[in-house]
Amino acid sequence: MTAERTGTFLTLDDGRPAVRFSRVYDHPVDRVWRFVTEPDELARWFPSRAEVDLRPGGTVTFTGDPHLEDSTGRVVAVHPPRHLSFTWDGDELHFDLEELEEERTRFTLTNVLGAENTAARNGAGWEVCLAALDARARGERFDGPHAGAEAPWKELYAAYVTAGVPSGAPVPGLGA
């Protein structure tokens, strides 16, 4: 994987900072929905194991990330199989799925940031995670966020910083 940044830093209409990613997968929307809602699917690409109670106000349980303590979030909105949003460690994650022609789906992840200076860090992290999801969608294996020091996270982070994306937040597990 090259250190090419695909995320966009933006300010939402309500003034909150965010990073956004978009992909098109050669799968129907129902299949992509399972990528973002089923714990065993999420475990293949999401940074933590996530178990989601798919109802507004439902609990999201995050476990297994070696750099973060186990925690919980809250489902903000769910409209199967088109939208899911939940809170996680001060941020809000939005997954939007749009059905396209020929059983393809546009997947959009928006990470609404609790703090602007996390944009480059989170952007780089999502690049690694989404590379794993991209591979999963192609039927390939990629360790993604679980690749440890082998993941090209630092190169991606540098690409975000070079692009002027806000940075400076500590990196879990690196002490920097």
Side-chain angles (χ1 to χ4, degrees), residues 1-7 21 23 123-124 127-128 152 155-157 159-160:
M1 181 168 80
T2 62
E4 182 179 333
R5 121 188 131 77
T6 64
F21 303 85
R23 304 283 198 271
E127 295 285 0
V128 174
E155 292 175 38
L156 291 161
Y157 180 75
Y160 275 86

Side-chain angles (χ1 to χ4, degrees), residues 44-68:
R44 295 175 183 261
W45 69 272
F46 199 79
S48 296
R49 180 167 180 82
E51 296 195 23
V52 184
D53 178 1
L54 287 171
R55 61 184 177 81
T59 299
V60 184
T61 305
F62 304 101
T63 59
D65 186 319
H67 305 295
L68 295 173

Side-chain angles (χ1 to χ4, degrees), residues 81-171:
R82 304 274 187 251
H83 175 81
L84 172 64
S85 57
F86 55 80
T87 61
W88 184 36
D89 197 31
D91 288 358
E92 205 172 277
L93 301 180
H94 297 235
F95 299 95
D96 291 290
L97 308 179
E98 176 188 355
E99 192 168 15
L100 303 174
E101 294 179 3
E102 300 177 14
E103 293 196 336
R104 300 173 79 215
T105 301
R106 180 180 325 281
F107 163 95
T108 303
L109 164 62
T110 304
N111 180 181
V112 183
L113 305 166
E116 187 175 85
N117 72 344
T118 63
R121 177 194 75 190
N122 289 17
W126 286 121
E127 295 285 0
V128 174
C129 294
L130 291 174
L133 178 56
D134 296 347
R136 176 74 176 143
R138 291 188 306 267
E140 301 168 358
R141 178 179 166 82
F142 178 77
D143 288 328
H146 311 290
E150 307 308 314
W153 183 88
K154 289 180 183 179
E155 292 175 38
L156 291 161
Y157 180 75
Y160 275 86
V161 171
T162 298
V165 174
S167 62
V171 178

